[in-house]
Every structure is written in structure tokens, then in C-alpha cells.
Amino acid sequence: MLQEENRITPILLLGYGNLARGDDALGPMLLENIRPWIRQQELPVDLLHEHQLQAELIMDLRERDLVIFIDASAGINSAIDFIRVEPEENSSFTTHAVTPGALLKTFIDMYAEPPPLTYFMSIRGYDFSIREALTQQATDNLALAVEFLKKQLIKEITESAGEPA
């Protein structure tokens, strides 16, 4: 599908994490792994890699139908977790604590319009020390996350087109 010039695509995948901190790179690595498939399928999807979430990212959420935040996590018990994000207040005074929910709340406050449908995908990581390679367990979880996300994207695109999934 060819995009109109300067047209924002309806879907945004936003992977974040530090490429120099081992498994913390899972979010950006998922983007790199899924990029060829998205191009091959000609899907209306933008990919955005960030080191961490910042309030300025709300500008990237405008005119989207679907946003999926992707990050590594040591705090889940499964290989991946996929949950719907709702707007939430952020009482933190540090940018290191910005959450996807806080971004959605800021979006509403700033633009006075509902945010896009938003999900958060966590991928289980194990070692966040300074190192460039993923652990083997994280690499295995990344492969599962890529396959899950492919199915989720097809489902969302099919449903938004009014076709049964």
C-alpha cells in the first residue's frame, strides 16, 4: 500500500530501550526484526525507536488509529505481555518515569480529543547490564513477540477494514 505524501500512517509501533544495556534493547530489536515483514506486506505501519518515553512523543500519536508501545521488562512471568493502555495521571517529576498511560493523559489534556487505541507489549528480559548482545532467553522471547505482533497487526488491520479476523 503506497502512502500519500506527508500522510501519517494509521498504525505506530513505538519500541523503546537502551541498545547498550543487553535485554533492554528488546523494544528496538523487535522493530528491526519486524520491519522487513511490514514492508513485504505493505502495511500502513510506522516504526519509531526511542531511548525512553518523553512527553514530546504525544505529537507522534496524533492522527493514529492504533499505537503499540514495546519495551523490555524483568517484571513479567511470561515471554510477552500485551495489555490495553488507558490514560493515567503521572505525578512523577522525572522523565524516566513517563508511562504510556501518562502520555495518553497528556495527549487528552493537550489536544482535547480522545487518544488512539493503545496497547503496551512487554517482552521478558533477563540481563540489563552494559552489553550489546541479548541473552538467549530474551532472543527466544523476541522471536515469540515478533510472531505475536504479526498476528495482532493483521487482526487489527482486518477489523478496521470491516472484515472478519
Side-chain angles (χ1 to χ4, degrees), residues 63-79:
E63 300 180 37
R64 307 287 184 171
D65 296 328
L66 174 66
V67 176
I68 302 175
F69 290 92
I70 305 153
D71 191 21
S73 175
I76 59 174
N77 295 320
S78 56

Side-chain angles (χ1 to χ4, degrees), residues 33-68:
N33 279 266
I34 205 166
R35 181 185 314 275
W37 178 80
I38 288 171
R39 285 184 179 156
Q40 177 193 33
Q41 300 295 315
E42 299 180 343
L43 299 179
V45 177
D46 282 337
L47 306 175
L48 180 60
H49 164 222
E50 291 292 329
H51 184 74
Q52 65 187 23
L53 297 183
Q54 303 174 63
E56 293 83 359
L57 288 171
I58 65 168
M59 293 181 285
D60 294 301
L61 306 183
R62 290 207 79 187
E63 300 180 37
R64 307 287 184 171
D65 296 328
L66 174 66
V67 176
I68 302 175

Side-chain angles (χ1 to χ4, degrees), residues 45-155:
V45 177
D46 282 337
L47 306 175
L48 180 60
H49 164 222
E50 291 292 329
H51 184 74
Q52 65 187 23
L53 297 183
Q54 303 174 63
E56 293 83 359
L57 288 171
I58 65 168
M59 293 181 285
D60 294 301
L61 306 183
R62 290 207 79 187
E63 300 180 37
R64 307 287 184 171
D65 296 328
L66 174 66
V67 176
I68 302 175
F69 290 92
I70 305 153
D71 191 21
S73 175
I76 59 174
N77 295 320
S78 56
I80 58 173
D81 193 24
F82 192 77
I83 60 169
R84 177 123 183 229
V85 178
E86 299 294 338
E88 65 183 20
E89 294 288 338
N90 184 8
S91 59
S92 172
F93 291 104
T94 174
T95 59
H96 291 285
V98 174
T99 65
L103 286 176
L104 295 185
K105 176 70 169 94
T106 304
F107 180 95
I108 293 167
D109 293 344
M110 182 76 165
Y111 299 119
E113 62 186 58
L117 175 63
T118 304
Y119 292 96
F120 179 66
M121 174 183 259
S122 300
I123 307 170
R124 176 74 163 100
Y126 301 87
D127 183 351
F128 295 81
S129 63
I130 296 176
R131 54 183 269 149
E132 291 186 12
L134 297 176
T135 61
Q136 184 58 54
Q137 300 102 313
T139 301
D140 294 344
N141 293 347
L142 177 61
L144 293 171
V146 168
E147 291 309 310
F148 175 88
L149 193 53
K150 286 178 181 179
K151 291 175 186 170
Q152 192 66 33
L153 287 171
I154 292 298
K155 176 181 176 239

